[in-house]
Amino acid sequence: MVRRARRINRDLADVYPYAHPELDFRNPFELLVATVLSAQTTDLRVNQTTPALFAAYPTPEDMAAAVPEELEELIRPTGFFRMKAKSLLGLSAALRDRFGGEVPGRLEDLVTLPGVGRKTANVVLGNAFGVPGLTVDTHFQRLVRRWKWTEQTEPEKIEAEIAAIFPKSEWTMLSHRIIFHGRRICHARKPACGACPIAPLCPAYGEGETDPEKAKKLLKYEKGGQPGQRLSPPPDYPGSPARPLEAAAQPTAAGGTADTADGGAAAS
């Protein structure tokens, strides 16, 4: 199993050499806030919401002093906005009062912040500080179980078992590759098995659509010729940027809207 798992990781690295965090951010504080907002919504919706949010509250000190109702209104599109506003106010005040207005670079400090668990902490550590970590979101959990890398169902136990398979230096990029694959090809309800580049290695092959032409129609984001989730993707991203919230709400030529929400991206 270990050999097959490492082969899958190598193959995913060839398929997604551009894998990256799909939240727009310019500094650790923005990534922390965006990750908290991403619970129970898509990274796309978060990315469409944060430009106005960070224009209003660019620092922890600014956000800690926000009027709750005004903060709630800005983050309303991400859902659960009252609960999320409470977390953002709490973590911003904690950063201001306990960490000198800076996001700490240690997991044991990050998880003391309101609304921040291990998954969020690992996202911030891996992508803002270069500290390896596994992001055990819903996509990660689904795929590692499909691939028989673990039978665990609790995120911390999954994290521990997968960490034992791969060298620490691989953890952050492994997370990106798995999440990319889960969003684009290995979907929760109908995996695109017939279009999957690692199908020969997959013990769950056949759970989804195996006909290559039908499977191709299930592909999402750049694999399906659609915009990605980031408004400001990295330079090596081969797809097109997502549209701002106002533009995404405009009707397209075919009717409907241009928004490309990924229902499986909750808690991403």
Side-chain angles (χ1 to χ4, degrees):
M1 183 275 289
V2 171
R3 263 189 310 194
R4 183 172 64 188
R6 291 178 176 174
R7 171 68 187 277
I8 287 175
N9 180 42
R10 290 195 299 271
D11 285 3
L12 289 178
D14 291 336
V15 176
Y16 306 109
Y18 51 86
H20 57 270
E22 293 192 88
L23 290 167
D24 286 328
F25 69 98
R26 295 169 297 183
N27 54 58
F29 177 62
E30 290 191 358
L31 179 58
L32 176 61
V33 169
T35 307
V36 170
L37 290 177
S38 71
Q40 302 303 311
T41 191
T42 64
D43 286 358
L44 169 61
R45 183 62 77 199
V46 174
N47 292 335
Q48 291 170 329
T49 302
T50 50
L53 176 66
F54 294 134
Y57 311 115
T59 68
E61 292 84 355
D62 294 323
M63 192 169 287
V67 175
E69 293 77 14
E70 294 176 1
L71 177 59
E72 289 174 3
E73 193 58 34
L74 281 171
I75 66 172
R76 180 184 289 268
T78 69
F80 300 94
F81 57 91
R82 291 190 180 90
M83 178 184 67
K84 291 178 181 179
K86 184 177 180 181
S87 292
L88 294 185
L89 289 168
L91 73 84
S92 296
L95 293 176
R96 178 195 63 196
D97 298 340
R98 293 197 280 121
F99 297 103
E102 300 291 332
V103 176
R106 300 194 313 161
L107 186 141
E108 52 265 42
D109 292 329
L110 285 166
V111 296
T112 68
L113 301 172
V116 178
R118 285 186 66 90
K119 188 206 78 171
T120 295
N122 279 327
V123 169
V124 173
L125 290 173
N127 298 290
F129 293 100
V131 178
L134 292 170
T135 302
V136 185
D137 74 346
T138 54
H139 300 288
F140 191 100
Q141 293 180 52
R142 179 176 74 253
L143 268 62
V144 297
R145 286 199 294 266
R146 273 184 178 162
W147 294 334
K148 310 299 183 188
W149 293 3
T150 182
E151 294 182 355
Q152 300 293 339
T153 57
E154 296 177 22
E156 286 197 30
K157 291 181 179 179
I158 292 172
E159 182 183 341
E161 289 204 355
I162 304 308
I165 298 174
F166 297 93
K168 196 171 183 178
S169 59
E170 283 289 303
W171 290 354
T172 299
M173 285 308 301
L174 172 70
S175 300
H176 291 324
R177 293 166 192 149
I178 290 176
I179 293 168
F180 257 59
H181 193 62
R183 285 176 171 163
R184 287 149 178 78
I185 296 176
C186 196
H187 311 307
R189 288 183 289 275
K190 199 169 185 181
C193 294
C196 180
I198 62 165
L201 298 169
C202 182
Y205 177 79
E207 285 187 13
E209 179 59 64
T210 57
D211 179 85
E213 290 306 312
K214 292 179 179 178
K216 197 179 298 183
K217 295 177 182 178
L218 300 174
L219 301 179
K220 293 184 179 179
Y221 302 113
E222 77 284 352
K223 293 296 181 185
Q226 303 154 354
Q229 297 206 87
R230 293 187 67 165
L231 277 64
S232 302
D236 62 343
Y237 180 63
S240 57
R243 292 157 63 93
L245 191 59
E246 298 80 6
Q250 298 300 313
T252 64
T257 68
D259 203 343
T260 56
D262 171 11
S268 61

